[in-house]
Amino acid sequence: MRLERGATGFWQQGDPELPVVDVRRFRGACHEAARVADGAVERVTERRHPRSFHEAVLVAGAQRYVVRCHGVHPLIAFDPDQAIDPPGWGEVFIGFGFEVLGREVLGLPLDRVDTSRLGPAEWEQIRYWQAQTVGETLFHTWD
């Protein structure tokens, strides 16, 4: 696994601006996933500072799923704070161009992934917030 520039959502003045994952793309994927799961989208919340992610809540059967979409890179995680693997219908997001991350990847320590593309401003934030894992680095509310 390699963390790309912008994985933290931070950049240094003078660097090119980071790309943005359009919330409409994420919303469309959520609605299709809910349809496949015979469920419903309860809400979709667009990324706003200090969050690094868009977030949706999908209801399928008796379960509620928190789905997070990284704001810079097309990465999806299901309930990252609780470290669950994606449900079977989570593959719908792949068809929309997203990469779906499971708990194994989210839990990887940063010293076990390629972090060579992260910039100095990102490392400053990682050290300050004491992020230890891929999940903590990608999906956070640092300010």
Side-chain angles (χ1 to χ4, degrees):
M1 164 101 202
R2 178 173 63 205
L3 292 178
E4 298 293 338
R5 178 182 163 272
T8 64
F10 288 87
W11 71 96
Q12 195 165 309
Q13 188 173 358
D15 285 349
E17 284 196 37
L18 297 172
V20 175
V21 174
D22 189 342
V23 71
R24 291 172 297 183
R25 178 175 159 204
F26 175 56
R27 184 179 289 115
C30 288
H31 282 282
E32 179 61 15
R35 186 191 67 74
V36 168
D38 198 26
V41 176
E42 189 174 283
R43 69 175 165 81
V44 176
T45 307
E46 187 171 3
R47 171 187 173 201
R48 295 268 189 260
H49 182 75
R51 286 190 328 239
S52 67
F53 53 87
H54 304 305
E55 184 174 87
V57 175
L58 278 69
V59 179
Q63 290 247 278
R64 292 178 81 237
Y65 296 89
V66 175
V67 184
R68 290 189 179 160
C69 171
H70 193 268
V72 174
H73 300 293
L75 303 170
I76 298 289
F78 285 81
D79 293 317
D81 297 334
Q82 297 176 11
I84 71 162
D85 280 324
W89 51 262
E91 292 183 6
V92 166
F93 289 91
I94 295 169
F96 282 77
F98 292 102
E99 180 180 351
V100 179
L101 305 177
R103 93 175 119 181
E104 185 176 316
V105 170
L106 294 168
L108 282 173
L110 290 178
D111 63 1
R112 294 202 32 227
V113 298
D114 181 354
T115 57
S116 63
R117 298 203 178 193
L118 299 181
E122 292 186 278
W123 277 109
E124 182 180 327
Q125 294 297 319
I126 289 168
R127 284 189 292 276
Y128 179 81
W129 293 102
Q130 301 177 3
Q132 302 294 313
T133 66
V134 168
E136 291 171 349
T137 303
L138 292 172
F139 301 99
H140 58 76
T141 55
W142 304 342
D143 60 358

